[in-house]
Amino acid sequence: MHRILALLILAFSLLPIMAEGHDELNKVRRIVRGFSEIDTNYIEPQHYNYTVMVQGTYTYDIYKLSGYAGQSVTFAPDRIMKIGPYFGWRWFFLGYTFDLKNISLSNNGKKHEFDFSIYSSQIGVDLFYRRTGSDYKIRNADMGSGIDVSRLEGVPFDGIKVGITGANLYYIFNHKRFSYPAAFAQSTCQKISCGSWIAGVGYTNNSIELNYDKLQETVSNYSSPSTIKLDSGLMFNAVRYYDISISGGYAYNWVFAKNWLFCASGALALAYKHSQGDTYDENEKHGFDFNNVNVDGIGRFGAVYNNTRWYTGASVIIHSYNYRKPRFAANNVFGSMNIYVGYNFGLKKRYRKNRK
């Protein structure tokens, strides 16, 4: 009896603590739900828990290196098309795509790409990881006045390796009426045209490795006259630069017909960049090391048909990173175009009673 009484006293004494903990838990739940809070006059919520989708992804990557004397070389691999299945549950999407061109071949180029995005009504997150293979080609070159470089175009060049790793976090101000997920995640439907200002922060880590001896040899073999010498600003072994950025922009969803949507979004970022690299000049103990502030950009465009059960569409995402000083400049543009068709299933409980 005394033990039961003691347990009851202990239980009653813990009630305020448990209630306080319950209140904290409710606060967390309200915050999480707030990320998806919408005005249903403008946005139709997702009716289903699950989705399956087939997506084709077309990727592209362009890299331009410039020296202080005006010489420049632009590299880009052949564009590839990947296709694969996806499965989604609420906010989470998992899938796998394979290269149609090399479906039966080994990946000798050791190219690795990973892009992951999460879109809620209020915030969005982009994660990307890219390591190029050895399939670059010289797409354009400028070696100076009077130098014929026409034969350089399309020449394979495996002496450059590029890597980029980064993350972007952005906030949608008019998130109750404007839906990023409607355009890029197919998880809601925009009912009335609407736009929103967006702001974000980002971090990227870039690396460039260049075999300048091989580049000099290639330029000499395919240029006229063949005695052309590379700008010393292009003669380096490796450059690494890191940047932290603050961005701002605007996005607009245009509902031009029932169940149809076109989205255009653009943002500019002020990026503070810190770099380290090795140069051709062996007398420079630290190579070149510079801090810089440049302007980067990201653009998103999408067209979607979504009747809540079936959806299809296409989207284009473009990243632009610029790095410029009088001695050396690097410009990288990469992105992807997605074409998809999908089917939602597993009707949520609150919509079952309205099912026809």
Side-chain angles (χ1 to χ4, degrees):
M1 183 67 180
H2 292 290
R3 291 181 179 178
I4 295 175
L5 182 61
L7 289 173
L8 288 173
I9 294 173
L10 178 62
F12 278 108
S13 66
L14 290 176
L15 281 177
I17 299 175
M18 295 172 63
E20 183 179 352
H22 185 67
D23 290 341
E24 293 298 325
L25 183 59
N26 285 335
K27 289 181 182 179
V28 174
R29 288 175 177 171
R30 285 194 294 270
I31 292 173
V32 173
R33 289 172 181 171
F35 288 138
S36 297
E37 187 178 357
I38 59 175
D39 183 343
T40 54
N41 293 317
Y42 282 78
I43 302 170
E44 183 68 25
Q46 173 65 281
H47 293 191
Y48 300 88
N49 287 308
Y50 308 100
T51 185
V52 290
M53 181 180 75
V54 175
Q55 177 172 287
T57 300
Y58 180 80
T59 61
Y60 49 92
D61 184 11
I62 300 173
Y63 224 102
K64 181 179 180 180
L65 302 179
S66 304
Y68 77 95
Q71 291 183 351
S72 65
V73 185
T74 301
F75 305 92
D78 290 332
R79 294 175 175 86
I80 60 173
M81 183 71 176
K82 296 181 179 181
I83 191 169
Y86 284 77
F87 175 80
W89 174 72
R90 297 189 178 181
W91 284 6
F92 300 96
F93 239 89
L94 294 174
Y96 176 79
T97 58
F98 52 87
D99 184 356
L100 291 177
K101 183 178 179 180
N102 299 309
I103 187 171
S104 62
L105 301 177
S106 60
N107 187 16
N108 294 326
K110 297 182 179 180
K111 177 180 292 187
H112 301 285
E113 297 179 1
F114 172 79
D115 294 275
F116 178 71
S117 298
I118 298 177
Y119 301 99
S120 73
S121 298
Q122 194 170 358
I123 63 171
V125 179
D126 293 328
L127 304 174
F128 45 90
Y129 173 91
R130 288 178 174 237
R131 295 295 183 270
T132 65
S134 56
D135 58 346
Y136 272 102
K137 293 181 180 179
I138 297 175
R139 301 299 180 178
N140 192 19
D142 183 355
M143 293 292 110
S145 178
I147 306 300
D148 182 8
V149 293
S150 58
R151 293 194 301 134
L152 270 174
E153 296 181 8
V155 174
F157 183 74
D158 61 359
I160 182 172
K161 294 183 179 179
V162 177
I164 181 169
T165 304
N168 294 318
L169 172 67
Y170 45 91
Y171 179 83
I172 298 95
F173 288 94
N174 193 20
H175 55 270
K176 292 184 179 181
R177 295 183 175 182
F178 169 84
S179 177
Y180 243 147
F184 299 104
Q186 304 83 48
S187 57
T188 60
C189 297
Q190 187 83 43
K191 297 161 68 174
I192 300 176
S193 299
C194 191
S196 176
W197 293 100
I198 56 177
V201 294
Y203 171 80
T204 58
N205 181 341
N206 297 260
S207 64
I208 312 169
E209 296 181 14
L210 180 67
N211 186 331
Y212 58 78
D213 288 329
K214 181 174 288 189
L215 180 59
Q216 176 67 76
E217 180 183 357
T218 303
V219 169
S220 298
N221 289 339
Y222 291 90
S223 299
S224 179
S226 61
T227 56
I228 182 67
K229 296 296 182 182
L230 281 179
D231 186 332
S232 62
L234 295 175
M235 304 181 77
F236 59 87
N237 292 312
V239 177
R240 296 174 182 83
Y241 55 99
Y242 318 83
D243 70 66
I244 299 174
S245 63
I246 300 175
S247 63
Y250 191 79
Y252 189 79
N253 281 345
W254 175 35
V255 181
F256 58 90
K258 184 179 180 180
N259 299 328
W260 280 97
L261 165 69
F262 175 79
C263 177
S265 170
L268 294 177
L270 286 178
Y272 173 79
K273 304 185 179 184
H274 172 71
S275 292
Q276 292 182 336
D278 301 320
T279 64
Y280 176 73
D281 189 351
E282 296 179 355
N283 295 322
E284 296 184 19
K285 297 180 180 179
H286 303 289
F288 61 93
D289 184 353
F290 47 85
N291 298 328
N292 201 6
V293 175
N294 288 151
V295 177
D296 297 332
I298 181 171
R300 301 173 187 273
F301 306 90
V304 185
Y305 172 82
N306 191 343
N307 64 10
T308 72
R309 171 71 82 169
W310 290 92
Y311 59 89
T312 185
S315 63
V316 176
I317 301 176
I318 303 171
H319 298 264
S320 174
Y321 291 93
N322 303 293
Y323 194 40
R324 185 172 296 278
K325 274 289 185 176
R327 180 174 184 179
F328 173 80
N331 306 95
N332 182 209
V333 177
F334 71 89
S336 61
M337 180 178 71
N338 301 315
I339 302 173
Y340 53 84
V341 59
Y343 176 76
N344 295 315
F345 63 99
L347 196 66
K348 294 180 179 179
K349 184 181 297 186
R350 63 178 177 272
Y351 296 109
R352 291 176 186 171
K353 62 181 179 179
N354 298 324
R355 182 173 54 182
K356 294 181 180 181

